[in-house]
Amino acid sequence: MSRQFAILPSVALALSLMALPALAGQAYTREDALKIAMEKSTTIKSAEEELVSANSQVDAGYGNAMPSIDLSAGITRIFGLDDVENSHDLANAANNMESASDFDKQVMAPAVDGLIYGMKSQGYRWQSSVGLTATQILYAQGKVGTGIDIAKIYRRLKEVNLENVKATVKYNVETAFDQLIYLDSAVAILEASIAQTQQHIDYVNGAVESGLASELDQIRAQLQLDQLKSELEKTKKNQILARNALLNTMGMDWEADVQFKGELRDPNSNLPYPDTAMANVKKRRKELVMLDQSEEMLQKNISIEEGGYKPTIVLVGGLKYSNNKNEIQQWDAPDWDKNINKYVGLNLTMNLFNGMKTKEAVVQAKSKLRDTQIQKETAERGFRMQIESCANTLEDAVRQLELQKRQVDLANRNYELTEASYKVGKSTQLDYLDASMTLRTTKLKYMEAVLNWNNAYNALLQATGEYQ
C-alpha cells in the first residue's frame, strides 16, 4: 500500500487566523498538556498499577521455588475426662506380695504402671502443641518454572500495555487540543466579523440619515449581526465543553479561567507520509504485540494444566512440641527431651481420578489459546482495513484543503471588489453583506479543513503504529 503525500501551498493564512483571545487564567501549551496528561491521567495510573501487580507476580513465582516454613500453635480443652495421674499401684502391689519375684517387683510391675499411665495420658483435659514445619517442592511437573515464565510474559504484556495506553492518551490529548484551537480560532473569526458588521451598520445608519440608504439596508445589516452573535454564542459554549473535555483527558479538574495556546500542525511542513507496510505495522502495533504475549502465555498455561496428570514430590521436615495437663494453670517449662518430636519425610501425591477436571482444564486452556489466535488474525485484518480507511480520509482531507484554500482566496477577492464597488454606489448593500458572509464562511471552512487534515494525519499515524 503506497500513496503520494500531497503538499499544499502555503497555509500562512490559516496560521494567521489562530490568534487567541487575551489569556485570563493559567495558560498551557501543547507540550504542557501532554506532560500533565502523562503524570495525571487516571488511565495511565491504572496501567502503571497493573504493571506493579505484574512485577509482584514474578517475585511470587520465584517464591514458589523456595521452601515454605510455617509456625503452628494450638491449645485444646477436652470435656468429660478425669484427672490423669501417674500411679504406682501395680508396683506397690507386687512389693507387698511375697510370691512376687524381684523381676516382677522391679521390672514388670513398673513397666505396666508406665504403660497404663501412657494410655491414660491421652485423656488430659488440656492439650497444647507448638511446631515448625518446612516444606520444599522437589518436583511439580514443571509448574513452578512454567509459572515463573508465565509471570514474566504477563509482566512484558503489561509493559507493552502501559506504552499503548500512554500513546492513546497522547493521541486523545492532541485531538482534543486541536479541536479547542480550532474553536478558539472560530471565535476570533466570528468576533472580527461582528466588529466588521457593526462598522458596516454604523456606516449604513449614517447613509440612511443622509438619504443614501434605506431602512431595508439597516434591517439586512442587523439581521446579519444577530446571526453572527448567535453563532458566536454557540461556538463559545462548544469552546467551554471542548476545554473541559481536554482537562478531563489530562486528568485535571475543571478550571473556568484556564486557557490553551498553540497552533494546528501545518499541512505544508513536509511531514513524512506514514509507513503503511503491514510487515512493519505488525511490529509497531502494540495490540498485536500484546496478543503475541497472550498467545505465548496461554501456550505455557496448557503445560501447567497437563501437569495435573503427573505426580508432585515434596520434602517435609519439622519440629513439634506437645504438652498435656489436667488444669490450665499447671503449665511448666517444656521437657524438650520427652515432648519434642522431630521428623523429616518425602510426600508423593498423584491424582488418579478427579471427575475429569484435569482433562477439561486442558481442553479449556487450548480453547483459550485458539480464541486468542483468532483475535490476532482478526486484529491483523482489521488493521489493514483501518489503515486503508485512514489513508483515504487523509487523501480526502488534502483535496478539501486545496479546495478551501482556493475558496478563501476567491471569497477574499470577491469581498474586496464588492466593498470597493459598494462604497462608490455600484453594488447594493445586500451584495456587500453576502460577500462579507461568504468570506467569513469560507475562512471557517478552511480552518475546519486544516483541523480535519490534522485529525486524519494523526489517525493514520495511530493506525500504522507510528503514533508514540
Side-chain angles (χ1 to χ4, degrees), residues 417-432:
L417 293 174
T418 303
E419 183 181 33
S421 178
Y422 176 70
K423 288 182 178 179
V424 297
K426 292 183 178 181
S427 295
T428 65
Q429 192 255 2
L430 180 59
D431 293 333
Y432 179 79

Side-chain angles (χ1 to χ4, degrees), residues 96-308:
N96 293 329
M97 293 176 59
E98 295 181 358
S99 59
S101 65
D102 291 339
F103 178 79
D104 291 336
K105 295 177 181 178
Q106 298 175 10
V107 178
M108 194 63 185
V112 175
D113 280 334
L115 177 62
I116 293 173
Y117 174 71
M119 296 174 64
K120 290 169 61 180
S121 65
Q122 303 301 316
Y124 275 109
R125 293 196 298 266
W126 291 94
Q127 301 180 359
S128 66
S129 64
V130 178
L132 283 175
T133 303
T135 304
Q136 174 64 61
I137 298 177
L138 300 180
Y139 176 74
Q141 64 277 343
K143 284 186 176 181
V144 175
T146 305
I148 294 174
D149 291 340
I150 289 177
K152 289 181 178 179
I153 296 171
Y154 182 72
R155 177 177 63 186
R156 174 56 183 157
L157 187 152
K158 290 303 177 182
E159 289 173 347
V160 176
N161 177 65
L162 178 58
E163 295 173 5
N164 188 52
V165 168
K166 287 182 177 179
T168 301
V169 170
K170 180 181 177 183
Y171 174 80
N172 292 336
V173 169
E174 294 258 23
T175 301
F177 192 95
D178 288 345
Q179 178 67 23
L180 184 57
I181 294 302
Y182 161 73
L183 290 171
D184 288 343
S185 301
V187 167
I189 292 172
L190 288 170
E191 288 177 341
S193 298
I194 289 174
Q196 185 182 44
T197 304
Q198 184 62 57
Q199 290 178 357
H200 179 66
I201 289 177
D202 296 339
Y203 174 79
V204 171
N205 290 337
V208 169
E209 292 178 359
S210 62
L212 299 177
S214 66
E215 183 181 0
L216 180 59
D217 294 326
Q218 286 181 309
I219 293 174
R220 287 172 176 172
Q222 188 62 49
L223 286 173
Q224 186 183 41
L225 181 62
D226 292 343
Q227 181 182 0
L228 287 171
K229 289 182 177 180
S230 176
E231 290 183 19
L232 178 62
E233 182 180 358
K234 179 181 178 181
T235 303
K236 284 186 174 180
K237 289 180 179 179
N238 292 334
Q239 184 185 38
I240 293 174
L241 292 175
R243 188 180 298 119
N244 195 18
L246 177 54
L247 288 170
N248 184 62
T249 305
M250 293 165 57
M252 297 178 63
D253 295 329
W254 165 246
E255 296 180 32
D257 296 330
V258 70
Q259 297 289 338
F260 294 89
K261 56 182 180 180
E263 296 178 348
L264 295 175
R265 182 190 285 113
D266 185 354
N268 197 40
S269 56
N270 294 324
L271 294 173
Y273 192 85
D275 177 15
T276 57
M278 279 306 300
N280 297 329
V281 170
K282 290 179 181 180
K283 297 176 183 178
R284 291 192 299 263
R285 284 297 295 252
K286 298 296 189 294
E287 297 88 344
L288 286 178
V289 177
M290 292 166 63
L291 286 171
D292 285 337
Q293 297 296 316
S294 296
E295 182 180 4
E296 184 179 356
M297 187 168 60
L298 290 172
Q299 285 175 337
K300 291 185 176 295
N301 188 57
I302 294 175
S303 300
I304 287 184
E305 298 297 347
E306 289 176 340

Side-chain angles (χ1 to χ4, degrees), residues 3 8 15 23 40 44 59 67 77 82 109 123 180 200 219 225 289 305 310 312 358:
R3 285 179 170 83
L8 296 178
L15 301 180
L23 301 179
K40 294 189 175 183
I44 292 178
D59 295 338
R77 172 66 165 92
D82 297 329
L180 184 57
H200 179 66
I219 293 174
L225 181 62
V289 177
E305 298 297 347
K310 302 175 183 179
T312 300
T358 300

Side-chain angles (χ1 to χ4, degrees), residues 22-72:
L23 301 179
Q26 176 67 45
Y28 297 105
T29 64
R30 186 185 299 268
E31 290 71 24
D32 293 334
L34 291 172
K35 181 180 179 181
I36 293 172
M38 293 300 106
E39 296 174 351
K40 294 189 175 183
S41 169
T42 54
T43 307
I44 292 178
K45 288 181 178 180
S46 296
E48 289 174 341
E49 289 303 320
E50 290 178 0
L51 181 56
V52 171
S53 175
N55 281 319
S56 176
Q57 291 184 38
V58 174
D59 295 338
Y62 281 110
N64 291 330
M66 299 178 183
S68 174
I69 301 176
D70 300 300
L71 171 66
S72 61

